[in-house]
Amino acid sequence: MIRPALTEIGIFLIPFAVYALILIASRSGVLAQTSWPLHLIAKLTLGAMVLVAISFVLLAQFSGAPPNSIYIPAHVENGKFIPGVEK
């Protein structure tokens, strides 16, 4: 469960990292307060939220079992653990 959460956090941070790289490439002050005005942070946050929403849709659309598949949950047979499978 931690991997999907970290993936979404990483996707959220992409616009901020790209802007920081642009500041570094242009030799502007990355840590200077004037390089990070509030309206720009709001735009970066909005872009990050759009990226996260798109990633949620793509994750729901292209991951998981194929349609009409049957899941047999994990169970114990004759004292032996049988993991769950998709058929």
Side-chain angles (χ1 to χ4, degrees), residues 23-87:
L23 289 176
I24 290 170
S26 65
R27 295 194 175 132
S28 297
V30 175
L31 299 178
Q33 192 173 10
T34 57
S35 297
W36 298 89
L38 186 58
H39 69 88
L40 184 64
I41 291 174
K43 289 178 185 177
L44 290 172
T45 302
L46 181 63
M49 286 187 210
V50 168
L51 283 177
V52 170
I54 290 170
S55 72
F56 281 148
V57 169
L58 292 175
L59 180 69
Q61 187 68 27
F62 295 111
S63 68
N68 301 323
S69 64
I70 298 172
Y71 177 70
I72 300 172
H75 57 281
V76 177
E77 282 184 13
N78 300 326
K80 192 174 185 181
F81 176 74
I82 309 295
V85 293
E86 293 178 20
K87 289 187 176 184

Side-chain angles (χ1 to χ4, degrees), residues 4-15:
L6 290 178
T7 301
E8 297 303 326
I9 291 170
I11 290 172
F12 183 83
L13 293 176
I14 287 172

